Amino acid sequence: MSAVSGLGKALVVITGASKGFGRALALSIAPRLAAGSALILAARSDDKLQELKADLSRGESGLTVRCVAADLGCQAGVERVITEIRDIDPDIDHLLLFNNAASLGDVSRYCHDFTDVDEVNSYLSLNVSSALCLTAGVLRMFPQRTGLTRVIVNVSSLCALQPFPSWVLYCSGKAARDMMFRVLAEEEPDLRVLNYAPGPLDTDMQLQARSSSADDALRNSFSVMHAQGQLLTCDQSINKLIKVLLEDKYPSGAHLDFYDL
Amino acid sequence: MQQHPTSNEICPEPRDLGRALCIITGASKGFGWTLAFQLSCLLKPRSVLMLVARTAEQLNRLKEDIINLYGGQNQLDVRCVQADLEKKEGVEKTVQAAKETSVSEMDHILLINNAASLGDVSRFALTFTDPVEVNRYLALNVSGALSVTAGVLQALPRRLGLRRSVVNISSLCALKPFPSWVLYCTGKAARDMMFRVLAAEEPDVRVLSYAPGPLDTDMQLQARRSSGDLQLRRSFSSMFSEGQLLSCEESGAKLMKLLLDNDFQSGSHLDFYEL
């Protein structure tokens, strides 16, 4: 595997790996990993993870694939993922963590409807806290050393930068995450930190967006995008992401959007 | 003990914020405490000033001080609500207090989301491995602000002749990352976005994220004593020793002007130093 197209011997962790962008990412990245690499897939659905693992095993050998069924919205879930990577052979060139797991939140409601702190707390626990705690845990498990490149990717969104009516939880969570990873980039200059906004992907999340968004204009524009074939496939977006990661020229902490690249 | 503004220093302008229900969270000290005084002088008679904080004693003292200042002439109804906005009960108690206020004769509802915490700034992002700690931080600084705002807006809905204003006490940290300040920066960034969404959804609500500048408060003390990043700690210390910190009064006065002028773009982030 050449240095340009491959990631060498790597430990790759992908959250929200059971479907959508996370799943496609696992399938795209596996062929780029050298023998002896490990791919850790985390999601709530063990069934879907096992299916993915089966799909992956048809490809490269020499790749260890581990499935971790975990709800990152709770402490035990985060801990389970960290535990899983504890016994991975530390002799790797590359560590990549893709913080992809996320939820849209209830987009059928407006700001003034979120009177229940429990609901908001639960949303932030999955979408903000778990990303920070998992990142911290993974990086502590594989501390800085010569010969090890550590990459942290935050799957971001235009919503991190721009407000959308009826999307308060998602926008707030994405804005929080972008800032979180910017602080991390400031603190740890040896890390490669990327906030990647993948563009409007044709996934279940997008389906939820176009069927449930309370804001009429937003719902219509999603429907139009879908009807006119303007949604991106996950692969289209992932190809750009991987190119950016391999070129490795982005400023750490930057927010890059599919449409910027 | 902070100095009281004198009667001559306050109420220099004939403009006012109407007959209002004005709610200030984190009112027991620092910026919230100062805002309570400054706002009390801009509210028309028979307004209600609701002061929310965790410590009843400090709130009661603040109430006394404000009442003493007016000797009852202003007919300002000052109410203290002891509530911990990190907790569901605290949020509900605050919203309930707002609901119980008779607002039929009022022309303004003004909510100042000021309550906040710095988080443990002695540590770096990689040490935040405990979701319970991060969740607690977000519960106060993000969820609490959203749910209080939602509750108040629902309890006091839109009607002709009623101005509704929501202020988010923001920070430069909402826009710029600072080493060893991951929780605070993250919380402020979330809040700014939250209130931008609110502004986009509710064109009749006047939403403002106000970054007050570096204030001489307990929070600032904590910043210069505890920040894990050496450079940051030094720059806070030199701001302090060179007298570059702002008084709460100075910054509060700019916020008062923004509210009186009422021509800010709803949802915008405005910084003391830009005004």
Side-chain angles (χ1 to χ4, degrees):
Chain A
M1 196 120 303
S2 80
V4 172
S5 66
L7 293 160
K9 192 170 169 215
L11 167 59
V12 179
V13 182
I14 304 175
T15 65
S18 59
K19 51 180 188 158
F21 193 69
R23 182 179 217 277
L25 189 55
L27 291 165
S28 278
I29 226 170
R32 298 176 185 273
L33 305 177
S37 294
L39 179 55
I40 314 293
L41 308 168
R44 284 168 302 173
S45 164
D46 189 47
D47 288 348
K48 294 209 181 101
L49 288 177
Q50 295 300 339
E51 266 176 48
L52 175 57
K53 180 174 176 173
D55 288 346
L56 285 164
S57 69
R58 280 187 265 278
E60 302 295 310
S61 56
L63 174 66
T64 303
V65 179
R66 291 205 194 157
C67 302
V68 186
D71 180 356
L72 294 175
C74 63
Q75 185 177 11
V78 176
E79 285 171 356
R80 195 171 308 147
V81 180
I82 306 289
T83 303
E84 198 62 41
I85 65 172
R86 199 175 284 160
D87 62 349
I88 300 285
D89 178 4
D91 180 28
I92 47 172
D93 311 311
H94 238 124
L95 167 67
L96 291 101
L97 169 59
F98 291 91
N99 287 293
N100 168 73
S103 61
L104 207 48
D106 188 351
V107 294
S108 72
R109 287 150 62 215
Y110 295 100
C111 285
H112 65 229
D113 296 315
F114 289 99
T115 52
D116 181 2
V117 270
D118 288 342
E119 179 182 10
V120 184
N121 284 338
S122 176
Y123 183 84
L124 296 174
S125 181
L126 171 63
N127 290 275
V128 182
S129 309
S130 79
L132 176 58
C133 297
L134 184 63
T135 301
V138 169
L139 291 174
R140 291 172 83 84
M141 199 70 75
F142 290 87
Q144 181 182 3
R145 65 164 164 79
T146 342
L148 175 63
T149 304
R150 302 184 302 165
V151 181
I152 307 293
V153 177
N154 163 35
V155 181
S156 182
S157 168
L158 179 59
C159 294
L161 309 180
Q162 235 191 76
F164 288 89
S166 67
W167 282 40
V168 67
L169 294 183
Y170 192 74
C171 289
S172 304
K174 289 308 189 192
R177 288 165 66 109
D178 260 36
M179 176 55 82
M180 217 158 81
F181 288 103
R182 285 170 72 194
V183 172
L184 181 65
E186 282 288 317
E187 291 179 358
E188 307 275 337
D190 85 292
L191 284 183
R192 305 289 292 134
V193 182
L194 176 62
N195 290 317
Y196 177 67
L201 307 172
D202 194 358
T203 59
D204 281 357
M205 189 181 267
Q206 187 64 227
L207 174 63
Q208 191 192 343
R210 72 178 170 274
S211 50
S212 311
S213 293
D215 186 74
D216 289 336
L218 200 56
R219 206 173 57 252
N220 288 338
S221 82
F222 285 136
S223 292
V224 162
M225 271 199 283
H226 178 245
Q228 295 184 349
Q230 288 165 356
L231 293 179
L232 303 169
T233 64
C234 291
D235 284 345
Q236 269 176 294
S237 189
I238 286 162
N239 288 340
K240 277 202 180 173
L241 171 58
I242 292 185
K243 185 164 184 286
V244 167
L245 292 176
L246 290 174
E247 278 174 2
D248 200 21
K249 295 208 184 96
Y250 56 92
S252 191
H255 175 104
L256 293 179
D257 189 287
F258 172 87
Y259 290 113
D260 295 335
L261 303 163
Chain B
M1 181 84 177
Q2 286 171 262
Q3 289 298 311
H4 297 173
T6 64
S7 308
N8 289 339
E9 287 164 355
I10 54 180
C11 309
E13 310 195 324
R15 297 187 295 166
D16 61 66
L17 292 171
R19 186 171 164 202
L21 164 58
C22 178
I23 304 168
I24 307 172
T25 65
S28 59
K29 51 180 188 157
F31 198 50
W33 191 93
T34 296
L35 292 179
F37 277 103
Q38 293 182 323
L39 285 163
S40 66
C41 119
L42 296 175
L43 303 175
K44 275 192 143 111
R46 292 196 312 283
S47 290
V48 173
L49 179 61
M50 190 171 292
L51 309 169
V52 186
R54 286 171 299 175
T55 50
E57 200 186 305
Q58 277 165 301
L59 286 180
N60 287 328
R61 219 179 308 142
L62 175 58
K63 174 178 174 170
E64 260 179 59
D65 289 347
I66 290 174
I67 288 174
N68 287 340
L69 211 53
Y70 295 110
Q73 351 149 274
N74 208 28
Q75 298 177 64
L76 181 65
D77 181 357
V78 183
R79 300 186 191 177
C80 300
V81 179
Q82 182 192 9
D84 182 353
L85 296 177
E86 187 188 294
K87 310 255 174 1
K88 188 175 174 141
E89 311 87 72
V91 171
E92 288 174 345
K93 189 176 175 190
T94 302
V95 173
Q96 187 57 31
K99 272 189 188 150
E100 284 166 6
T101 308
S102 168
V103 297
S104 53
E105 314 249 309
M106 294 202 178
D107 48 53
H108 196 179
I109 310 293
L110 171 57
L111 169 62
I112 313 261
N113 288 293
N114 168 75
S117 60
L118 207 49
D120 188 351
V121 292
S122 71
R123 289 159 49 209
F124 295 91
L126 292 191
T127 65
F128 289 98
T129 52
D130 182 6
V132 172
E133 178 182 14
V134 183
N135 286 341
R136 276 192 65 200
Y137 183 83
L138 297 175
L140 169 62
N141 291 276
V142 182
S143 313
L146 177 56
S147 294
V148 165
T149 301
V152 168
L153 290 176
Q154 269 204 20
L156 308 160
R158 186 174 161 190
R159 95 173 130 74
L160 202 57
L162 180 66
R163 176 176 149 195
R164 299 189 301 164
S165 309
V166 177
V167 177
N168 162 36
I169 300 303
S170 181
S171 169
L172 179 58
C173 294
L175 309 180
K176 225 181 118 173
F178 288 89
S180 65
W181 282 40
V182 70
L183 294 183
Y184 191 75
C185 290
T186 298
K188 289 307 190 193
R191 288 166 67 111
D192 259 35
M193 175 56 82
M194 222 156 82
F195 289 101
R196 285 171 74 192
V197 174
L198 176 62
E201 291 177 358
E202 310 252 5
D204 80 298
V205 178
R206 304 285 294 132
V207 183
L208 174 64
S209 285
Y210 176 67
L215 306 174
D216 194 357
T217 59
D218 280 356
M219 189 180 268
Q220 187 63 227
L221 176 65
Q222 190 191 343
R224 72 178 168 273
R225 272 196 190 150
S226 312
S227 291
D229 186 74
L230 183 60
Q231 215 171 339
L232 201 58
R233 205 164 63 242
R234 281 191 181 145
S235 81
F236 284 136
S237 290
S238 76
M239 269 200 282
F240 174 67
S241 55
E242 286 165 32
Q244 287 165 354
L245 292 180
L246 302 169
S247 69
C248 293
E249 282 75 22
E250 203 180 341
S251 186
K254 278 204 177 168
L255 176 55
M256 293 306 114
K257 183 165 194 301
L258 284 169
L259 293 172
L260 287 166
D261 291 345
N262 196 24
D263 54 15
F264 56 86
Q265 184 176 35
S266 191
S268 57
H269 173 106
L270 295 176
D271 190 287
F272 173 87
Y273 289 113
E274 293 168 355
L275 305 161

